[in-house]
C-alpha cells in the first residue's frame, strides 16, 4: 500500500510505504509525526526480522546524544555473523557527529544489518534525508503522517485486525473508532485487546460489551448528534457521557469549538484554510455540519452556548439541566433546518 505524501516526497527515488507495509531494507527511514504508527512499523519490522532469524541483535541509538563512531561500531561484522537491527531515535535533533557518520554509512551499508532512522519533522538532517530519498544506501521510507480524519483512523484499526488475520464488522469498526477517536494510542490498545480476548469475528455487540462506557459518549459525539438534529441520540449520548464521569464544562467546550468553526467557515465561504487558521480537514467537516444551517440558526446556537457556558461554570445550580437545554436548542435547529 503506497503512502500519501507531498510534492517533494512524490519525487523520491525510493519506495514510500504505509506503516503496515514495512519490510526489511538496508536503511529504513520512518518519517512523520504520528508516533503510534511509527512504533507499530518498527515493532513489525523487528518481529519480521526475528522470525527470519531468532539470533537477531537489536541495538538502540539516540541521535541527539550521539558520539562519533557509535553507528559504525554497532554495524561492524560480529564474530558469529548475527543479523542486526539498529534503531536510531530523534534524528530530527541529531548531532553533527551523527550526520557525518550516517552519510558515510549510506555509501556502504553493512551486510545483514537494518538501520532504522526515526525522523519526526523539521529540516534538521535534510542532507541525510535527501540522500536516503535519492536512493543512496538502497533504503525505503515509511511515512507516518498524523491521522486526522475518522476515515484514516478506521483504516488504521482495520489494518490492525487484518494483520492479525481477524475480521471486524464495519459497524463495530465505526463504533470502536468513535470511542477512541481522540487518542490513536488508546485505539491501538483497544484493537489489540479485542484481538487477544475475542475468538472469531468482532461485531458491534462485542465492542459495546468491552467499551460500552466510551462508545458514543464523547463530548464531540454529543455535539455531532445535536448539530445533525438527532435529539434523541444526543440526549442518550449525553447521559452516557455523564454516567461515565464526563464533566459538563468540556462538553460545552466541544459544542463551542464545533459551532464557532461552523460560523467561521459560513462567514468566509470559499476562503483558503490558511486564511481561516484552520486545517483543511476542519473546513471539510464544518461544511458537512453546516448542511441545513443558516445564519439565524448559528446565531441562536451561539447565544445558547453562552448561556450554557455560564450555567455549567456556576451561574445556575443544575449544570446537567443546562446541558440538556443546550442539546435541545441545537438539535431543534438542526432538525428544523435539515
Amino acid at each position: 500500500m503506497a503512502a500519501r505524501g507531498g510534492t517533494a516526497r512524490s519525487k523520491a527515488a525510493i519506495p514510500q510505504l504505509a506503516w503496515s507495509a514495512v519490510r526489511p531494507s538496508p536503511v529504513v527511514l520512518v518519517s512523520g509525526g504520528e508516533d503510534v504508527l511509527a512504533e507499530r512499523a518498527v515493532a513489525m519490522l523487528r518481529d519480521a526480522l526475528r522470525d527470519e532469524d531468532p539470533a537477531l541483535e537489536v541495538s538502540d541509538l539516540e541521535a541527539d546524544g550521539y558520539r562519533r563512531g557509535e553507528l559504525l561500531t554497532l554495524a561492524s561484522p560480529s564474530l558469529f555473523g548475527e543479523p542486526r537491527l539498529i534503531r536510531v531515535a530523534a534524528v530530527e535533533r541529531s548531532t553533527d557527529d551523527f550526520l557525518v557518520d550516517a552519510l558515510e554509512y549510506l555509501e556502504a551499508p553493512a551486510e545483514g544489518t537494518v538501520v532504522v532512522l526515526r525522523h519526526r519533522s523539521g529540516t534538521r538532517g535534510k542532507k541525510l534525508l535527501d540522500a536516503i530519498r535519492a536512493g543512496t544506501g538502497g533504503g525505503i521510507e515509511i511515512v507516518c503522517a498524523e491521522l486526522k480524519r475518522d476515515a484514516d483512523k478506521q483504516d488504521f484499526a482495520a489494518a490492525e485486525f487484518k494483520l492479525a488475520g481477524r475480521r471486524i464488522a464495519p459497524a463495530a469498526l465505526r463504533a470502536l473508532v468513535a470511542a477512541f477517536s481522540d487518542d490513536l494510542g488508546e485505539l491501538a490498545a483497544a484493537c489489540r485487546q479485542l484481538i487477544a480476548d475475542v475468538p472469531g469475528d468482532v461485531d458491534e455487540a462485542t465492542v459495546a460489551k468491552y467499551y460500552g462506557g466510551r462508545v458514543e459518549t464523547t463530548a464531540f459525539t454529543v455535539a455531532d448528534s445535536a448539530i445533525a438534529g438527532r435529539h434523541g441520540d444526543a440526549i442518550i449520548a449525553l447521559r452516557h457521557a455523564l454516567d461515565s464521569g464526563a464533566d459538563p464544562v468540556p462538553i460545552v467546550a466541544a459544542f463551542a469549538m464545533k459551532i464557532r468553526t461552523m460560523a467561521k467557515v459560513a462567514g468566509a465561504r470559499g476562503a483558503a484554510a490558511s486564511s481561516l487558521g484552520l486545517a483543511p480537514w476542519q473546513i471539510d467537516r464544518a461544511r458537512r455540519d453546516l448542511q441545513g444551517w443558516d445564519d439565524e440558526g448559528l446565531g441562536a446556537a451561539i447565544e445558547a452556548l453562552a448561556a450554557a457556558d455560564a450555567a455549567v461554570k456556576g451561574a445556575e445550580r443544575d449544570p446537567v439541566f443546562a446541558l440538556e437545554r443546550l442539546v435541545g436548542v441545537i438539535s431543534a435547529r438542526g432538525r428544523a433546518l435539515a
Side-chain angles (χ1 to χ4, degrees), residues 74-95:
L74 288 175
S76 61
S78 68
L79 180 63
F80 299 103
E82 300 95 343
R84 296 186 174 188
L85 171 63
I86 303 174
R87 301 177 296 199
V88 186
V91 176
E92 71 277 3
R93 301 192 303 273
S94 57
T95 64

Side-chain angles (χ1 to χ4, degrees), residues 17-38:
L17 309 173
W19 67 273
S20 56
V22 66
R23 55 178 170 79
S25 182
V27 177
V28 180
L29 171 61
V30 181
S31 65
E34 193 61 82
D35 290 329
V36 173
L37 300 185

Side-chain angles (χ1 to χ4, degrees), residues 92-318:
E92 71 277 3
R93 301 192 303 273
S94 57
T95 64
D96 290 341
D97 283 347
F98 175 78
L99 295 177
V100 171
D101 279 0
L103 285 167
E104 179 182 338
Y105 181 82
L106 289 182
E107 297 298 331
E111 186 177 352
T113 297
V114 174
V115 175
V116 176
L117 304 176
R118 176 71 179 112
H119 190 286
R120 297 189 79 256
S121 63
T123 58
R124 180 63 175 165
K126 183 178 184 299
K127 184 177 180 180
L128 173 62
L129 301 186
D130 288 346
I132 295 171
R133 289 171 177 154
T136 308
I140 62 172
E141 181 174 4
I142 306 301
V143 183
C144 300
E146 184 178 355
L147 302 188
K148 296 179 178 180
R149 302 186 306 158
D150 284 348
D152 292 333
K153 294 173 185 177
Q154 288 179 18
D155 288 344
F156 165 76
E160 290 280 76
F161 283 90
K162 183 178 181 179
L163 289 168
R166 303 290 299 281
R167 295 180 59 187
I168 180 170
L173 182 65
R174 290 192 296 270
L176 187 61
V177 171
F180 297 98
S181 61
D182 295 331
D183 192 318
L184 193 65
E186 290 188 0
L187 175 60
C191 292
R192 290 195 292 271
Q193 182 178 22
L194 290 171
I195 290 167
D197 292 356
V198 180
D201 295 348
V202 175
D203 58 19
E204 193 171 8
T206 303
V207 173
K209 176 183 176 182
Y210 273 76
Y211 304 113
R214 295 197 57 152
V215 175
E216 299 297 339
T217 64
T218 66
F220 284 101
T221 299
V222 179
D224 287 341
S225 296
I227 289 169
R230 301 194 304 271
H231 181 258
D233 290 345
I235 288 294
I236 291 172
L238 173 63
R239 289 171 181 167
H240 276 306
L242 294 171
D243 289 344
S244 300
D247 186 87
V249 173
I251 295 177
V252 173
F255 271 94
M257 183 179 296
K258 291 189 71 66
I259 293 294
R260 287 168 185 164
T261 300
M262 289 167 61
K264 185 181 290 188
V265 172
R269 297 186 186 278
S274 58
S275 68
L276 296 177
L278 300 170
W281 69 268
Q282 290 177 301
I283 291 183
D284 290 342
R285 181 57 192 263
R287 285 172 177 161
R288 292 197 300 270
D289 289 338
L290 278 166
Q291 293 178 7
W293 282 78
D294 59 13
D295 291 344
E296 181 183 353
L298 286 171
I302 292 171
E303 290 179 0
L305 272 172
D309 185 64
V312 299
K313 292 179 179 176
E316 296 183 13
R317 291 185 177 182
D318 191 346

